Amino acid sequence: MDLTGFSINQMTVKQLSLPELVKGCVELGVPGVGLWREPVAEYGLAAAARLVADAGLAVTSLCRGGFFTAIDPAERAAALADNRAAIEEAAALGTDTLVLVSGGLPSGSRDLAGARERIADALAELGPYAAERGVRLAIEPLHPMFASDRCVVSTLSQALDLAERFPAEQVGIVVDTYHLWWDDRIAEDIRRAGAGGRIHCFQLADWVTPLPEGVLNGRGQLGDGAVDMAWFRAAVAEAGYRGPVEVEIFNDVLWARDGAEVLAQTVERYRGLLSA
Amino acid sequence: MDLTGFSINQMTVKQLSLPELVKGCVELGVPGVGLWREPVAEYGLAAAARLVADAGLAVTSLCRGGFFTAIDPAERAAALADNRAAIEEAAALGTDTLVLVSGGLPSGSRDLAGARERIADALAELGPYAAERGVRLAIEPLHPMFASDRCVVSTLSQALDLAERFPAEQVGIVVDTYHLWWDDRIAEDIRRAGAGGRIHCFQLADWVTPLPEGVLNGRGQLGDGAVDMAWFRAAVAEAGYRGPVEVEIFNDVLWARDGAEVLAQTVERYRGLLSA
């Protein structure tokens, strides 16, 4: 199995510098990378774009915009400005996809529906701005365990309800196995997303327990957990998705290991699980 | 606001012995308790039933049956036998409700649909057995973060899909705010559950972050978190539910405190949030 379409998200091997990541990808034949704004900014936006392009790597996505749920007008304005910057950075890096983590409940609020409406308001402002720059916004539904503090969009169905208010070239969704594997409506939601041309990003991570304190950095290496990766890959393909398959794992144990070794292991796992 | 219908689940103040719990309830005017099998067995089933009845307390539920997802025939048979015992214990304690935690994925399995079908098979065997003894089985959907290792039933909609295969006097569901608060379909699912006479138990706990390692014992005291308790109380009432409101909190910090004090605080929080 060749690695066409495979992409490694930078966060999976965040112990690697950007040049180390690029070198590792070239050596292993990995054709794409998903990047994050903070390490890109640290290296320099233009320099990062040049480094990746010179190596022949595709930038499959940029993480992340979002955090749209603030009520305070100044906070909202700051969030919108920051998202416009993120859109420009995506364009500069040559990727057409900005991943959105939409935001949790504001402090003291219990109004999930209101928070979701404020996300829609932000998308209405940012969607045209993104499309003019060749960038699509991709709403990432996060696991319900993040609903209060990180993202009130918890299912693919909710993400589609939001995205479908806008043209698909402005707003779509992310299918991330880690966040969605448990949902018995996932098959029909993936069909719905594919039919509307809304699958703008497809990410893999496995579900393993016990979850660590804070639950953020306990995602599993492919094959270590409960997720049927081949099923997800087939489901998005049957729904018409032909884009990259990005592996994005947040895991303290993987981060403590040698980054090149983790990258090679991830490629091996991907081959083993998805070439069958 | 009087405390008619209020119930304290034993686990909320598990540092109290059964006699201490009963004494605390009588002193505060708490009319009901939800019990757990292990502490009841430790005190003695008949003695526990007598102690609670003599104090005039209602037993609003027994926790817990379930763990139906094993594939191995011997394990399945053991689970069914254990559930028959739990049903008999519920009847002996004078409660009509046995709460079910249905079970996670068997080791190495990634087949959520198969696991859910094995739950249905078990309910078909146990439902009539329970009803003959005046006990209703109550499927508790657990938060999706427990899907792999504790309960593959993650939403109220899924729980109803299972329960509705059986008569309501055999199988219903639990509405627990902690597990269900994030779900945008919860209003319609509660209406559906109420219309079918399926709400067999209603439990309160709040959602607070950060979650602790293992995520089991980080439930919040009423009012400390993201859950709109008054909304839930109104929703089940509008759906026709007239049964008890049980507070069930698993929290290491609360357990480290004086149990009588936690009981009194819980009563105060309940009055404050639900009498408005």
Side-chain angles (χ1 to χ4, degrees), chain B residues 154-166:
Chain B
S154 304
T155 63
L156 187 49
S157 182
Q158 282 176 23
L160 288 167
D161 288 345
L162 278 167
E164 288 169 358
R165 301 193 198 183
F166 308 97

Side-chain angles (χ1 to χ4, degrees), chain B residues 127-128 131 136-137 163-172 196-198 200:
Chain B
R136 308 170 307 176
L137 304 175
E164 288 169 358
R165 301 193 198 183
F166 308 97
E169 68 272 17
Q170 290 182 13
V171 185
R198 301 277 174 178
H200 289 354

Side-chain angles (χ1 to χ4, degrees), chain B residues 112-169:
Chain B
L112 285 166
R116 290 173 185 142
E117 277 311 304
R118 290 193 295 282
I119 296 168
D121 293 345
L123 293 171
E125 290 204 37
L126 295 169
Y129 189 88
E132 282 161 21
R133 285 153 187 83
V135 175
R136 308 170 307 176
L137 304 175
I139 304 169
E140 180 163 18
L142 257 56
H143 193 283
M145 69 188 178
F146 296 117
S148 71
D149 56 3
R150 202 165 288 267
C151 183
V152 295
V153 181
S154 304
T155 63
L156 187 49
S157 182
Q158 282 176 23
L160 288 167
D161 288 345
L162 278 167
E164 288 169 358
R165 301 193 198 183
F166 308 97
E169 68 272 17

Side-chain angles (χ1 to χ4, degrees), chain A residues 156 173-177 180 190 199 201-204 232 236:
Chain A
L156 187 49
I173 55 82
V174 181
V175 173
D176 184 315
T177 60
L180 303 175
I190 287 176
I199 307 178
C201 187
F202 176 45
Q203 295 183 326
L204 308 182
F232 266 94
V236 298

Side-chain angles (χ1 to χ4, degrees), chain A residues 110 158 182 184 211 214 225, chain B residues 110 116 158 182 184 211 214 225:
Chain A
R110 297 185 174 91
Q158 281 176 21
W182 58 271
D184 63 341
L211 293 164
Chain B
R110 297 185 175 90
R116 290 173 185 142
Q158 282 176 23
W182 58 271
D184 64 341
L211 294 164

Side-chain angles (χ1 to χ4, degrees), chain A residues 84-113:
Chain A
R84 286 189 199 95
I87 289 164
E88 285 154 21
E89 290 159 32
L93 291 165
T95 179
D96 62 0
T97 303
L98 177 65
V99 173
L100 304 179
V101 172
S102 297
L105 288 172
S107 178
S109 170
R110 297 185 174 91
D111 179 13
L112 285 166

Side-chain angles (χ1 to χ4, degrees), chain A residues 39-64:
Chain A
V40 163
E42 203 177 305
Y43 190 77
L45 176 64
R50 209 162 42 236
L51 178 72
V52 173
D54 286 352
L57 295 176
V59 180
T60 54
S61 71
L62 180 66
C63 286
R64 60 193 184 187

